[in-house]
Amino acid sequence: MRVLLVKNDFFDLSLENVEIVQNVDEADVVWFHGIFDPHIVQRVLGHRHAVFYGEAAAEVSKIIEQNDVVESFELVMSKDPWDKRGFQSYKYHPIFESLHGGFYTYLVLDKDTSEKVFCYRGKKARIVAVEKRYISVIRENALIWEYELDSKKILCIGGYLNFKSSHIQYNIHEAKQFVKNILEYMLSGSKKPALYWPSCSNETKLDRGLEFTKFRIKPLKDFETFELLVHEGFGEDYANLCGRRILANLKENGEFDEVWVHPFRIVKSISFKIDEKKISEQKIFHRIYPDRVIHETENFKLTSFVSLEKPIFMIQLDFKDGKTQELEVDFNIDSRIMWPFDEAFNCGKSFNICDETGEVVFQTSDGMLKAFIKMNVPTQTRWSNDENSLTFTMSTNVDDSVSICLGGFLEQEQVPYEVDFTAELIEYSSFLKNYLNTTLQLETNDELFDRMFQLAKIGTIKFLTSVPGIGEGLMAGYANSKPGWFSARPGYAWYFGRDSEWVSMALLDIGDWETVKKNLQLLMKYQRIDGKIFHELTSSGVVHFDASDSTPLFLLVFHRYVNHSGDVEFLREDWKNVVKAFEFCLSSDRNNDGLIENTIEGHGWIEGGKLYGSDAELYLNAIWLSALEGTIELAELMNDSEVKRKAEEALQRTKRAIGRFYDERTGLYILGIKHNGGRLNHFTVMTAVAVYLGAIGFEDAKRQVIPYASNDFSTDWGVRIISKSSGIFNPNGYHEGTVWPLFTGWVSLAEFKAGSTHSGFNHLLCNLLSARHFAKGYISEVYHGEVYKPSGICPHQAWSESMAIQPLVEGLLGFEANFLNRKILLSPQIPWNMNELRVKNLKVATASAELSFKRIRTDENHFQEVYQTEVPEGYRMDFSVWVPKQAENIDVLLNGQRVDFEVLEGVFNKKLRLKEENCSELNVIVSYTLPFELAAVQPDPSPFCPSSTFRLVSLTKDESDYRLLLEASSKDEALEELSKIFKVHRGFTFDVFEEAPRKNTFCVLVKRNER
């Protein structure tokens, strides 16, 4: 390709496979970069393909349109933390190949700038791209526009492509790809049709030419139901029904809110009237199951459910008295595409109503969505509209039952020939039953515990969704959208990099690597050309790369995926993506100090507030450390000596650098290090991630987790991000004091890692049991830091659900899959609250193990713990057990033989490590005596109430005496609560006294009686 560059001094980009020529006649493409030379332009227009940038774009547009059609504004740095600027196309344009339809060219870090940006306001050009800002699209700012003169393309770019600017240096890889794409397009055109931003409004019109659906409805009939009851009663809390393609939000009281067929909201609300009385105003009894929701009165039963695979929502209304009832249903619809696009993105909508059946069909004017509402009985249907939405009112008389079906299909989808309500519900129910049976199964002596674990698995897998044209992966959270910034955002119902990666760890733990593989494929499909993994991918197809942790987490999860699944072929196929991600992470350690950075790459966890501002976070670099260890193993498997060498060198640098986060004054690890070398000396839950991932040694780890057990951090519903005594605590602050089940899960994992069994189990229960309240069966995104109530966006959050699974499997069971070394690791840490346990489907590749446990009292203070497990053929078992820290006279039998063991003293329990065994089964009997028994505190918070204060903090031994540190509001409360979980045996006495000078802190001193 031969290119003539007419440029000023701010075009400095080497062009591969491009020959730079010196005159117009030799050029295939002429590029005017800021410089407008009228003599050359005159020779180019209509004779050569040409690109005009900046002021040159404004000038050539004036010539073509004989008018000033371009406006300019000064580039001024925003006050927002991430001032990113770039371009967003309309669905598809070839100049954005490999750039996912849009990208940022600028990261504005310098307040002193003199650049101008030019926006097109004319009528003759086609708009290729508008302005893309941080998580927003500014449609009115047309930045790239295109003319065609005598079959020659004229492409105009208004700004954000100054190659001498400091703003562009961090996106230079994408900018180079962009220029390459432009030149190829100018010369060769497009293999598929290029699309342009339309000039249209969000108007609604009746179109009598729209075809109606041809499928028939088969009503719901009796069938064998899925009887895992989530909740029943009266209430008004949020509930939902979600399939791979659809999300229906509703309430316990019979209100029906938004229905989303990703990426469209097809319905804003549904309202039922029976004999002119709204059902939501009646006293509605609800029963919630994982596959359906039932609303019921003495007169009727309303059963709602969605298809597992199809974008269809079904409602069956059954009347009980046999009398004829007048039914009226209002459907308020707007066909709104998801954020960040506006209401007019699809150029409005059209609709039609069938005079014979009352069926309603509606579609976006661009044909992207076709939707319908129909019943299995004829209805009288009328309509009304306001500025942005339509309301269809469907009326009919019913004496027994009516089936209502609504949904929507994208261009790529096929409408079924039949919707069989019974078959659809059976398919959904069967999937859930099979999922529970084929993933890790757990049975204990606590039925509630077992049931809540099942609900956590179901609540997690419901986030696996599919969007035609985008792919299949894990979304982050479900809710109704809200006015303002959250308009057209159904909670967090789109794809998040880091969210899905944390969730993937739990899914691997229970053996669901098929879902994890799908999610990894989605992450790689939208991987940035420099290897970075996205932070957000909207269901409407817009990608953001605003987080620094998504990429090292991708490496960590990929390694775990291989170790769990044994899918080495998948690794071979996608090794290049893994290497690109690894190289990207390496490049983000810009000063080569061993710590990858946040300043340019984005937030690692903290997105704003008083904890924001780290250049390098402990959280981020703990993940990086673990990712490096995994990458070394994978590189060795792939015989990639260069990647292995680089990873080993980086690992040593990072191990040394982690110590920079240590605070010698407190003995704790801090949040982060600033760009200027200063320190963010806050101790937060982020340190728990470093403990969990092994970035902090065991003795130090014990010191880190003890503060989490106190009231300063803990509530009855979980752990705050920062302590109440920190000086910046805000109980409603998103990143300054709220309780996230995610944080609680991190802390639980860290506590189990450090042998703080009682606190680890307590915090695991906080997550598991919170599904009893608010959105029943689901775990919320965020809770208030002082009062037990939701404080976030989503009543149903993916990583909240997964953090009721991961601490259970990796912490309580101590399960770790290691396919690469053909090894299974088990180190059960069973709290005193649990006497029996049986686990199935501990999966590694094609192998599966089981574990059974029973604790038996053989005398007043003599106990036996019996463990049995079979070792799959071809695997070794690394088996350890945790026993109470106060256990004495310990004896271990392995397959009938007394064996030696190593002891590791944790905070509340101690680990007995046995040597690895190659035998086909392990029968382990651990015998010991106890001076006292101590169970974990089981949380039981009351909604909208403050937390209780009784907490177990730590247990230490001083010669023959034991010191149990706890917190309570008074000595009386301490004694009362202790009586429920604490029992001293003969030969020992105890006393409780206040631990001065700390208020509400008590010590239980257990002493051996003198003989």
Side-chain angles (χ1 to χ4, degrees):
M1 184 185 302
R2 294 167 298 178
V3 177
L4 170 63
L5 287 176
V6 184
K7 61 175 184 171
N8 56 20
D9 61 357
F10 56 77
F11 191 101
D12 182 18
L13 183 67
S14 59
L15 302 172
E16 296 179 5
N17 302 318
V18 170
E19 178 187 350
I20 303 299
V21 298
Q22 302 303 316
N23 63 71
V24 173
D25 295 334
E26 296 176 341
D28 299 311
V29 179
V30 182
W31 190 306
F32 296 85
H33 206 83
I35 292 293
F36 186 82
D37 186 324
H39 300 292
I40 300 178
V41 170
Q42 187 176 10
R43 295 173 60 193
V44 166
L45 291 182
H47 302 285
R48 294 286 185 274
H49 302 297
V51 179
F52 293 83
Y53 174 75
E55 191 169 348
E59 291 296 328
V60 77
S61 297
K62 184 176 181 181
I63 290 174
I64 294 172
E65 301 203 26
Q66 298 295 299
N67 201 355
D68 286 322
V69 293
V70 176
E71 295 178 359
S72 66
F73 62 86
E74 293 287 339
L75 173 57
V76 178
M77 184 177 178
S78 167
K79 295 180 181 179
D80 296 332
W82 304 100
D83 188 359
K84 298 185 176 188
R85 314 287 182 99
F87 313 106
Q88 182 65 47
S89 68
Y90 185 78
K91 299 182 182 177
Y92 172 78
H93 196 284
I95 67 172
F96 291 97
E97 280 290 340
S98 304
L99 299 171
H100 310 304
F103 72 107
Y104 301 119
T105 49
Y106 277 19
L107 172 59
V108 183
L109 297 174
D110 188 358
K111 293 181 180 179
D112 298 322
T113 181
S114 58
E115 286 190 45
K116 278 189 175 181
V117 180
F118 298 84
C119 298
Y120 178 69
R121 302 284 188 250
K123 301 291 186 183
K124 293 184 178 181
R126 293 179 293 183
I127 298 171
V128 175
V130 298
E131 184 171 11
K132 180 175 182 174
R133 293 277 187 101
Y134 178 56
I135 62 173
S136 62
V137 172
I138 305 175
R139 184 171 183 169
E140 57 268 27
N141 287 354
L143 292 182
I144 303 177
W145 59 101
E146 182 181 343
Y147 300 98
E148 187 169 307
L149 297 178
D150 296 330
S151 75
K152 299 299 180 183
K153 290 188 280 291
I154 307 296
L155 191 72
C156 299
I157 305 170
Y160 303 146
L161 206 62
N162 179 347
F163 292 101
K164 288 290 188 180
S165 170
S166 62
H167 308 317
I168 205 170
Q169 61 180 309
Y170 302 112
N171 302 93
I172 196 66
H173 295 290
E174 291 161 289
K176 286 182 177 180
Q177 181 68 44
F178 189 50
V179 172
K180 177 184 175 185
N181 290 348
I182 289 172
L183 292 175
E184 289 179 354
Y185 169 67
M186 299 303 286
L187 193 60
S188 305
S190 177
K191 294 179 181 178
K192 61 180 183 178
L195 299 177
Y196 301 87
W197 282 89
S199 176
C200 57
S201 64
N202 190 31
E203 66 175 350
T204 301
K205 60 184 180 181
L206 175 65
D207 182 353
R208 284 299 187 181
L210 286 186
E211 293 185 359
F212 299 103
T213 62
K214 295 180 173 59
F215 68 83
R216 64 191 183 102
I217 295 173
K218 293 183 68 174
L220 184 65
K221 297 183 178 179
D222 292 337
F223 71 103
E224 186 178 341
T225 54
F226 184 39
E227 292 304 330
L228 178 59
L229 179 65
V230 175
H231 187 262
E232 63 180 359
F234 299 93
E236 297 182 353
D237 284 326
Y238 171 89
N240 71 31
L241 296 159
C242 36
R244 299 285 182 265
R245 291 284 297 113
I246 192 165
L247 167 67
N249 294 317
L250 51 151
K251 291 188 177 69
E252 295 170 344
N253 65 354
E255 290 183 14
F256 289 76
D257 298 317
E258 297 178 341
V259 179
W260 285 81
V261 169
H262 308 295
F264 286 94
R265 178 174 59 205
I266 60 168
V267 172
K268 294 177 74 173
S269 66
I270 306 172
S271 177
F272 288 83
K273 284 184 182 178
I274 298 173
D275 292 335
E276 299 185 348
K277 186 176 182 180
K278 284 188 175 183
I279 68 167
S280 59
E281 295 174 355
Q282 302 180 43
K283 191 167 185 178
I284 300 288
F285 184 82
H286 67 264
R287 289 197 300 277
I288 299 174
Y289 299 90
D291 57 347
R292 65 198 187 280
V293 175
I294 295 173
H295 296 96
E296 196 165 9
T297 67
E298 292 180 353
N299 184 34
F300 66 82
K301 181 172 80 170
L302 195 69
T303 304
S304 308
F305 52 98
V306 297
S307 171
L308 177 66
E309 301 288 350
K310 303 182 189 75
I312 297 175
F313 180 35
M314 292 154 281
I315 303 170
Q316 175 101 357
L317 177 58
D318 296 307
F319 291 99
K320 300 178 179 181
D321 56 10
K323 297 179 182 178
T324 300
Q325 317 279 339
E326 182 183 348
L327 173 66
E328 184 176 284
V329 190
D330 287 339
F331 299 89
N332 184 247
I333 68 110
D334 66 350
S335 307
R336 173 70 158 91
I337 197 168
M338 191 209 156
W339 161 89
F341 296 127
D342 62 12
E343 295 92 340
F345 180 82
N346 302 102
C347 297
K349 55 187 170 291
S350 54
F351 69 93
N352 197 5
I353 300 172
C354 181
D355 295 331
E356 295 179 1
T357 66
E359 177 187 355
V360 173
V361 291
F362 52 98
Q363 69 177 46
T364 56
S365 296
D366 61 357
M368 190 173 174
L369 169 74
K370 295 182 179 180
F372 64 90
I373 306 168
K374 67 187 300 183
M375 298 188 191
N376 68 330
V377 296
T379 66
Q380 296 291 320
T381 303
R382 61 185 187 273
W383 65 277
S384 61
N385 71 324
D386 56 26
E387 185 176 353
N388 290 317
S389 65
L390 272 168
T391 298
F392 297 104
T393 302
M394 304 177 79
S395 305
T396 189
N397 292 322
V398 185
D399 56 12
D400 49 5
S401 68
V402 62
S403 301
I404 305 167
C405 186
L406 60 144
F409 295 86
L410 301 193
E411 294 165 293
Q412 305 94 320
E413 296 179 291
Q414 295 294 317
V415 179
Y417 69 90
E418 179 181 79
V419 176
D420 185 332
F421 278 30
T422 309
E424 293 290 348
L425 189 49
I426 288 174
E427 181 185 21
Y428 200 119
S429 177
S430 298
F431 166 77
L432 292 178
K433 290 178 187 177
N434 184 64
Y435 192 79
L436 292 178
N437 290 334
T438 56
T439 53
L440 187 144
Q441 291 181 280
L442 178 75
E443 183 181 353
T444 72
N445 55 295
D446 185 340
E447 290 184 9
L448 176 62
F449 185 88
D450 300 349
R451 186 166 67 91
M452 302 315 285
F453 176 64
Q454 287 184 311
L455 292 179
K457 290 201 296 180
I458 291 171
T460 304
I461 194 56
K462 284 187 174 184
F463 287 97
L464 178 62
T465 59
S466 176
V467 180
I470 291 179
E472 193 170 12
L474 292 161
M475 288 189 172
Y478 294 145
N480 283 304
S481 57
K482 298 180 179 181
W485 191 54
F486 289 96
S487 175
R489 289 163 51 123
Y492 294 120
W494 60 95
Y495 302 109
F496 282 73
R498 65 164 166 234
D499 296 54
S500 67
E501 289 156 340
W502 276 107
V503 172
S504 290
M505 295 185 214
L507 293 177
L508 290 172
D509 286 341
I510 62 173
D512 179 12
W513 40 76
E514 180 182 348
T515 297
V516 175
K517 183 175 184 177
K518 290 175 180 177
N519 194 72
L520 287 170
Q521 288 170 327
L522 185 68
L523 296 176
M524 291 186 289
K525 179 180 178 181
Y526 288 90
Q527 191 172 13
R528 209 165 69 180
I529 58 175
D530 62 356
K532 191 175 186 181
I533 299 298
F534 68 78
H535 174 49
E536 297 179 59
L537 166 62
T538 71
S539 62
S540 52
V542 177
V543 196
H544 300 289
F545 296 86
D546 304 318
S548 57
D549 57 345
S550 299
T551 313
L553 277 169
F554 168 78
L555 294 171
L556 190 157
V557 171
F558 212 117
H559 173 250
R560 289 198 180 188
Y561 170 77
V562 175
N563 249 340
H564 278 266
S565 69
D567 189 356
V568 177
E569 186 58 34
F570 181 60
L571 174 67
R572 294 190 194 282
E573 291 171 357
D574 298 295
W575 178 240
K576 63 182 183 300
N577 297 82
V578 176
V579 173
K580 282 173 63 178
F582 167 68
E583 294 287 356
F584 172 81
C585 290
L586 280 181
S587 72
S588 69
D589 178 10
R590 289 185 165 79
N591 58 7
N592 204 36
D593 66 350
L595 301 177
I596 60 175
E597 298 158 17
N598 301 84
T599 301
I600 303 303
E601 307 316 333
H603 41 77
W605 177 252
I606 309 293
E607 296 177 329
K610 295 174 183 176
L611 294 176
Y612 178 73
S614 293
D615 180 59
E617 287 178 337
L618 173 62
Y619 160 84
L620 178 65
N621 282 280
I623 293 168
W624 175 229
L625 192 69
S626 183
L628 284 168
E629 292 169 340
T631 302
I632 291 168
E633 273 203 309
L634 296 182
E636 187 171 355
L637 182 65
M638 294 299 296
N639 295 314
D640 193 329
S641 58
E642 180 65 10
V643 169
K644 183 182 178 186
R645 179 189 63 79
K646 288 181 179 180
E648 287 174 337
E649 291 173 357
L651 180 63
Q652 294 309 311
R653 289 194 300 270
T654 306
K655 279 184 175 179
R656 291 191 296 269
I658 286 289
R660 294 176 58 194
F661 296 100
Y662 184 70
D663 188 342
E664 293 184 356
R665 300 168 305 160
T666 62
L668 302 175
Y669 281 75
I670 63 167
L671 175 63
I673 298 168
K674 296 181 181 179
H675 188 64
N676 61 6
R679 291 157 64 87
L680 282 164
N681 282 317
H682 299 292
F683 176 72
T684 71
V685 294
M686 305 302 151
T687 300
V689 177
V691 172
Y692 159 59
L693 293 176
I696 297 173
F698 186 75
E699 292 302 318
D700 271 348
K702 290 190 289 185
R703 282 196 298 274
Q704 311 309 307
V705 303
I706 287 173
Y708 298 137
S710 71
N711 282 297
D712 212 13
F713 271 93
S714 282
T715 68
D716 291 344
W717 51 92
V719 184
R720 305 177 181 98
I721 189 173
I722 195 165
S723 67
K724 291 174 66 175
S725 62
S726 63
I728 64 169
F729 171 70
N730 173 7
N732 204 37
Y734 199 62
H735 291 298
E736 294 172 357
T738 49
V739 170
W740 294 49
L742 174 70
F743 301 157
T744 305
W746 285 347
V747 168
S748 179
L749 284 162
E751 288 170 328
F752 278 117
K753 188 91 171 184
S756 188
T757 312
H758 294 65
S759 295
F761 185 64
N762 173 274
H763 289 137
L764 167 61
L765 289 177
C766 286
N767 280 355
L768 271 176
L769 300 180
S770 63
R772 297 175 300 170
H773 305 125
F774 311 114
K776 311 302 191 302
Y778 297 138
I779 306 175
S780 293
E781 172 200 4
V782 181
Y783 299 102
H784 193 270
E786 289 278 41
V787 176
Y788 184 35
K789 63 181 182 179
S791 186
I793 302 298
C794 295
H796 182 194
Q797 183 81 3
W799 57 18
S800 298
E801 300 285 351
S802 70
M803 279 300 169
I805 296 171
Q806 195 176 350
L808 193 160
V809 182
E810 297 182 33
L812 190 146
L813 299 179
F815 172 62
E816 182 181 337
N818 192 335
F819 169 79
L820 294 177
N821 294 295
R822 302 300 190 273
K823 188 163 64 172
I824 297 172
L825 292 87
L826 278 173
S827 54
Q829 199 166 160
I830 315 297
W832 205 251
N833 311 59
M834 194 175 285
N835 294 319
E836 293 184 34
L837 177 146
R838 184 172 179 82
V839 186
K840 296 180 180 179
N841 299 333
L842 290 161
K843 295 182 179 181
V844 185
T846 57
S848 180
E850 297 184 2
L851 172 69
S852 66
F853 159 83
K854 193 168 187 177
R855 184 183 292 116
I856 305 165
R857 185 189 300 269
T858 58
D859 199 355
E860 181 197 1
N861 67 333
H862 287 70
F863 299 88
Q864 277 189 351
E865 294 186 0
V866 181
Y867 299 86
Q868 292 180 312
T869 181
E870 293 185 359
V871 184
E873 185 177 353
Y875 287 84
R876 293 170 294 130
M877 179 72 74
D878 184 334
F879 193 82
S880 305
V881 298
W882 291 80
V883 297
K885 191 172 185 176
Q886 69 273 23
E888 300 174 350
N889 306 312
I890 301 172
D891 187 61
V892 179
L893 295 178
L894 174 59
N895 293 340
Q897 301 293 316
R898 184 170 283 105
V899 295
D900 295 329
F901 49 85
E902 298 175 12
V903 178
L904 195 65
E905 295 271 351
V907 177
F908 276 102
N909 278 28
K910 54 190 174 187
K911 184 177 185 179
L912 313 181
R913 180 163 185 183
L914 314 181
K915 66 178 183 178
E916 285 184 21
E917 294 293 336
N918 286 316
C919 49
S920 60
E921 63 179 37
L922 293 178
N923 294 295
V924 179
I925 300 176
V926 183
S927 304
Y928 52 81
T929 60
L930 291 181
F932 60 91
E933 299 171 43
L934 181 66
V937 177
Q938 297 201 203
D940 188 22
S942 297
F944 306 104
C945 294
S947 181
S948 64
T949 55
F950 182 70
R951 304 250 174 271
L952 301 180
V953 179
S954 65
L955 177 65
T956 56
K957 184 179 181 182
D958 182 14
E959 295 183 355
S960 61
D961 300 337
Y962 292 91
R963 295 172 60 88
L964 172 63
L965 202 65
L966 59 84
E967 293 180 349
S969 60
S970 65
K971 184 175 180 178
D972 287 343
E973 185 197 30
L975 288 169
E976 180 183 352
E977 296 299 324
L978 269 175
S979 67
K980 303 173 185 176
I981 60 171
F982 176 71
K983 179 181 180 181
V984 174
H985 292 298
R986 283 182 299 177
F988 293 85
T989 58
F990 77 97
D991 192 16
V992 179
F993 56 88
E994 192 157 12
E995 187 85 345
R998 290 182 286 183
K999 187 179 180 183
N1000 298 333
T1001 302
F1002 297 87
C1003 177
V1004 180
L1005 182 63
V1006 181
K1007 298 177 68 72
R1008 197 180 302 270
N1009 293 337
E1010 296 182 5
R1011 294 179 178 176

